[in-house]
Amino acid sequence: MKDELLFKIGQSVRYIRMKKGISQEELAFRANLNMNSISTLERGLNNVKIKTLYSIAEALEVKVEDILNCKF
């Protein structure tokens, strides 16, 4: 069963990533993560650590608040 909050955060990351024209592979490289981590995060399948969220936000050149606002 998906957690609604995790799903929304994942969709927010996906929206920002796609809006910037970045692939999952490129985002993973920029955030120093593996591609599977990005994939499962975007699908809302696992809990995301705060540190990981900050790495993703930095890689996307946005604030963590922009991801958490889930405005897409």
Side-chain angles (χ1 to χ4, degrees), residues 58-69:
E58 186 176 299
L60 290 171
E61 299 176 337
V62 298
K63 297 177 183 176
V64 171
E65 293 86 356
D66 296 331
I67 294 172
L68 296 176
N69 283 332

Side-chain angles (χ1 to χ4, degrees), residues 5-56:
L5 177 60
L6 294 177
F7 181 74
K8 285 182 179 181
I9 290 170
Q11 290 300 295
S12 185
V13 169
R14 174 180 278 159
Y15 174 79
I16 295 167
R17 176 181 62 76
M18 292 181 79
K19 187 175 172 185
K20 292 183 174 270
I22 300 170
S23 69
Q24 284 185 341
E25 184 176 18
E26 178 64 22
L27 177 56
F29 175 77
R30 290 182 184 187
N32 199 28
L33 300 167
N34 65 51
M35 202 167 84
N36 187 51
S37 295
I38 300 297
S39 176
T40 56
L41 173 114
E42 287 188 358
R43 291 181 286 148
L45 298 179
N46 63 354
N47 204 351
V48 60
K49 294 179 181 179
I50 296 296
K51 194 170 184 177
T52 301
L53 198 55
Y54 271 90
S55 294
I56 291 170

